[in-house]
């Protein structure tokens, strides 16, 4: 399997984006120890917090879906100019310090050479690999963006989206249904707050209180964690049964009526997407292969202009 993933990455040695061509050997001469330095920072983060892998993977997704993978999600708000990280879907993003630590270490080795966007892409790869998932070679050469607006987070696919809305969101970024189902597997790592799935367990529609696609016992357990007038902001549930392991349990649970988000359940609503869910549920290797291919594709969306010295501030 490892050989397959490596050959897949090598077959995409140069990837064209809207601004620049990415390359696997982009920093070979200018910052040869980049990747091991980033990996070390991610490892250190995981030692202190087991939720770091899920946080970094989600951070990368949310970055790439707004103006491409340009590290705009890392920028801080300035006064009344709220940045992406303060938009409603991103309020729960965390572990920014891992990227800060990686950037600091990289700057000591190679000042002003490596973009924050590349560091985040590498950290997301490491998050998957260090959680027992596949690894791959990350094409590099992204630039950092200068624009970050909280209002733009409305462009992110929402947990209440149906399959048509999901398909439109992904296709606008050059991603297809295969990518949608494979990248949704990133939910194998992570946590969902009650607010993101309340719509399925309370007042589902005019005739039923609970989404009928949910297994009854599972819905009951979710309702016990998230009562109708829940006031505990941290309340919620893990997105699959093996929350710190990157595996295909997410797909298996979908087929058992144990999806968390409406957008997860939506993957079963068309024959094409349901077939992919079944395929990934039955084969970890097929999921790994598809996930790597789609991650390389998604993380090649680029649109930045500079190399930030501080990932939280433009130069």
């Amino acid at each position: 399997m490892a050989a397959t993933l490596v050959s897949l990455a090598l077959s995409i040695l140069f990837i064209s984006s809207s601004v620049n061509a990415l390359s696997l050997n982009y920093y070979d001469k200018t910052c040869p120890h980049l990747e091991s330095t980033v990996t070390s920072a991610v490892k250190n983060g995981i030692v202190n917090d087991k939720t770091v892998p899920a946080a970094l993977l989600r951070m990368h997704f949310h970055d790439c879906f707004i103006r491409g993978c340009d590290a705009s999600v890392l920028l801080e708000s300035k006064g009344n100019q709220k940045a992406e990280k303060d938009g409603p879907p991103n309020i729960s993003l965390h572990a920014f310090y891992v990227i800060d630590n990686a950037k600091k270490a990289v700057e000591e080795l190679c000042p002003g050479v490596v973009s924050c966007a590349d560091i985040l892409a590498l950290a997301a790869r490491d998050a998957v690999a260090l959680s027992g998932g596949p690894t791959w070679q990350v094409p590099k050469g992204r630039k950092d963006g200068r624009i970050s607006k909280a209002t733009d987070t409305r462009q992110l696919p929402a947990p209440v989206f149906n399959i048509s809305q999901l398909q439109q969101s992904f296709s606008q970024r050059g991603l297809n249904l295969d990518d949608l189902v494979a990248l949704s597997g990133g939910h194998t790592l992570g946590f969902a707050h009650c607010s993101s799935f309340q719509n399925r367990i309370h007042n589902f529609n005019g005739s039923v209180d609970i989404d009928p696609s949910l297994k009854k016992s599972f819905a009951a357990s979710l309702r016990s964690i998230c009562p109708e007038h829940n006031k505990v902001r941290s309340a919620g549930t893990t997105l699959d049964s093996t929350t710190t392991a990157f595996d295909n349990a997410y797909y298996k649970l979908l087929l058992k009526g144990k999806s968390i988000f409406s957008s997860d359940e939506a993957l079963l609503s068309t024959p094409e997407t349901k077939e992919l869910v079944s395929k990934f549920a039955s084969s970890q290797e097929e999921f790994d292969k598809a996930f790597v291919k789609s991650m390389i594709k998604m993380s090649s969306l680029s649109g930045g202009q500079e190399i930030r010295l501080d990932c939280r501030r433009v130069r």
Side-chain angles (χ1 to χ4, degrees):
M1 181 175 66
T4 302
L5 298 181
V6 170
S7 64
L8 174 62
L10 287 172
S11 69
I12 316 179
L13 180 59
F14 291 99
I15 297 181
S16 294
S17 71
S18 59
V19 174
N20 55 291
L22 304 184
S23 164
L24 293 178
N25 55 13
Y26 192 84
Y27 297 111
D28 281 4
K29 293 181 180 178
T30 56
C31 199
H33 301 295
L34 164 64
E35 300 207 19
S36 60
T37 303
V38 173
T39 301
S40 179
V42 175
K43 283 181 177 177
N44 289 338
I46 295 173
V47 167
N48 298 315
D49 182 356
K50 300 301 181 188
T51 70
V52 160
L56 294 175
L57 187 57
R58 184 165 176 249
M59 194 187 298
H60 185 49
F61 282 159
H62 284 212
D63 183 41
C64 292
F65 265 69
I66 299 176
R67 276 191 215 86
C69 314
D70 65 349
S72 54
V73 74
L74 305 178
L75 290 171
E76 296 283 1
S77 296
K78 284 185 178 180
N80 293 328
Q81 296 179 318
K82 296 299 181 183
E84 288 171 34
K85 64 165 57 175
D86 290 320
N90 287 342
I91 291 296
S92 58
L93 288 181
H94 67 285
F96 292 101
Y97 70 91
V98 176
I99 303 302
D100 291 337
N101 291 344
K103 177 64 170 175
K104 182 179 179 182
V106 169
E107 282 298 309
E108 290 176 358
L109 291 175
C110 328
V113 171
V114 181
S115 67
C116 298
D118 276 340
I119 289 174
L120 180 52
L122 289 167
R125 184 273 311 274
D126 291 340
V128 172
L130 293 170
S131 299
T135 189
W136 61 94
Q137 291 180 277
V138 176
K140 296 166 287 290
R142 297 165 191 79
K143 296 294 188 292
D144 298 324
R146 298 178 59 83
I147 301 170
S148 185
K149 298 179 181 178
T151 52
D152 287 342
T153 59
R154 288 178 293 198
Q155 300 172 26
L156 293 169
V160 297
F161 272 13
N162 60 34
I163 194 65
S164 296
Q165 292 169 310
L166 288 169
Q167 186 172 8
Q168 181 180 17
S169 177
F170 274 65
S171 66
Q172 286 171 346
R173 293 156 177 87
L175 302 170
N176 57 31
L177 282 179
D178 288 13
D179 301 316
L180 165 60
V181 180
L183 292 174
S184 293
H187 286 168
T188 183
L189 301 174
F191 183 87
H193 289 92
C194 294
S195 58
S196 60
F197 59 90
Q198 286 272 26
N199 65 305
R200 303 190 70 199
I201 58 174
H202 300 291
N203 306 308
F204 180 65
N205 61 31
S207 56
V208 294
D209 199 28
I210 299 171
D211 184 342
S213 64
L214 281 171
K215 188 175 181 179
K216 288 184 178 179
S217 60
F218 183 62
S221 71
L222 292 179
R223 282 167 66 99
S224 69
I225 296 167
C226 303
E228 186 168 7
H229 300 293
N230 170 61
K231 290 184 172 60
V232 182
R233 290 181 64 183
S234 61
T237 185
T238 56
L239 287 168
D240 80 3
S241 54
T242 57
T243 187
T244 59
F246 191 93
D247 55 25
N248 63 343
Y250 164 81
Y251 298 105
K252 294 176 180 178
L253 291 171
L254 286 191
L255 296 174
K256 293 178 180 177
K258 294 184 176 182
S259 57
I260 302 295
F261 300 142
S262 296
S263 57
D264 294 328
E265 186 63 29
L267 301 183
L268 302 177
S269 63
T270 74
E272 183 179 352
T273 53
K274 186 174 183 178
E275 183 179 346
L276 286 168
V277 169
S278 298
K279 178 181 178 181
F280 298 155
S282 62
S283 173
Q284 177 75 47
E285 185 172 356
E286 288 296 330
F287 167 46
D288 286 351
K289 187 166 64 174
F291 185 81
V292 167
K293 181 179 180 181
S294 295
M295 276 293 285
I296 292 173
K297 187 174 176 183
M298 180 196 74
S299 69
S300 298
L301 301 170
S302 187
Q305 304 85 33
E306 67 178 20
I307 304 293
R308 262 181 246 146
L309 300 181
D310 179 342
C311 290
R312 296 179 183 239
R313 295 169 183 80
V314 296
R315 296 186 74 165

